[in-house]
């Protein structure tokens, strides 16, 4: 029982990272529709619609994969936190709560991942401890 209890914090971090993987649906949708969406994509921070879309794809697809596998987890969470803040506080600033709910939940999820770190079930664990120390 103590063994299972000792695994719970790291399992919780793994489950948080897997939940973050749901963002891949949004990132993939943006990749698939890139040529159609690029000219008309929002420009919430004044860098142009195409660059805004590219940064969203980077955050929602690339950074999400990094978080799921636990590689550079905290660093990968930063663009996603920024992205959700833009969506929540700029894009949907005047919208009702029901339109902000998903962005708020993802923001809290990424903040939790940033605060908690990747846990033992991650590539970051191997990077930090070194593969030699874990094997031999």
């Amino acid at each position: 029982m103590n063994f299972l209890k000792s695994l719970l914090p790291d399992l919780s971090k793994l489950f948080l990272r897997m939940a973050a993987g749901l963002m891949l649906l949004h990132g993939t949708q943006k990749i698939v529709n890139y040529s159609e969406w690029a000219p008309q994509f929002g420009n919430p921070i004044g860098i142009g619609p195409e660059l805004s879309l590219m940064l969203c794809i980077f955050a929602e697809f690339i950074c999400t994969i990094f978080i799921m596998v636990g590689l550079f987890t905290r660093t990968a969470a930063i663009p996603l936190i920024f992205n959700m803040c833009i969506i929540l506080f700029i894009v949907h600033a005047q919208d009702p709560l029901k339109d902000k709910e998903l962005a708020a939940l993802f923001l809290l999820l990424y903040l939790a991942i940033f605060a908690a770190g990747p846990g033992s079930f991650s590539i970051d664990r191997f990077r930090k401890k070194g593969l030699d120390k874990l094997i031999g």
Side-chain angles (χ1 to χ4, degrees):
M1 189 63 149
N2 284 338
F3 175 72
L4 181 60
K5 193 173 184 178
S6 68
L7 285 179
L8 287 178
D10 288 315
L11 281 173
S12 298
K13 293 172 187 177
L14 175 64
F15 296 151
L16 283 174
R17 292 193 347 258
M18 294 305 105
L22 293 172
M23 183 54 70
L24 277 177
L25 299 172
H26 297 275
T28 302
Q29 185 180 27
K30 288 174 177 71
I31 291 170
V32 169
N33 296 303
Y34 181 82
S35 58
E36 183 182 324
W37 290 13
Q40 62 196 20
F41 197 75
N43 185 20
I45 57 173
I47 59 172
E50 191 166 358
L51 185 54
S52 293
L53 179 58
M54 283 191 255
L55 290 175
C56 280
I57 290 170
F58 171 74
E60 295 176 4
F61 190 80
I62 304 298
C63 291
T64 297
I65 291 171
F66 278 23
I67 285 177
M68 287 179 66
V69 299
L71 179 61
F72 307 115
T73 305
R74 285 190 165 117
T75 304
I78 294 169
L80 286 157
I81 290 168
F82 183 76
N83 194 33
M84 291 303 110
C85 284
I86 297 296
I87 292 168
L88 188 59
F89 301 116
I90 297 176
V91 174
H92 291 296
Q94 305 303 319
D95 295 342
L97 180 60
K98 68 178 180 74
D99 294 338
K100 299 178 185 185
E101 184 178 13
L102 189 59
L105 289 172
F106 272 114
L107 176 59
L108 291 171
L109 175 64
Y110 298 136
L111 287 169
I113 289 169
F114 183 80
S120 292
F121 304 112
S122 67
I123 294 174
D124 283 340
R125 175 181 179 222
F126 293 100
R127 281 188 333 102
K128 289 180 183 170
K129 291 190 175 183
L131 190 55
D132 308 17
K133 293 178 185 173
L134 289 174
I135 294 174

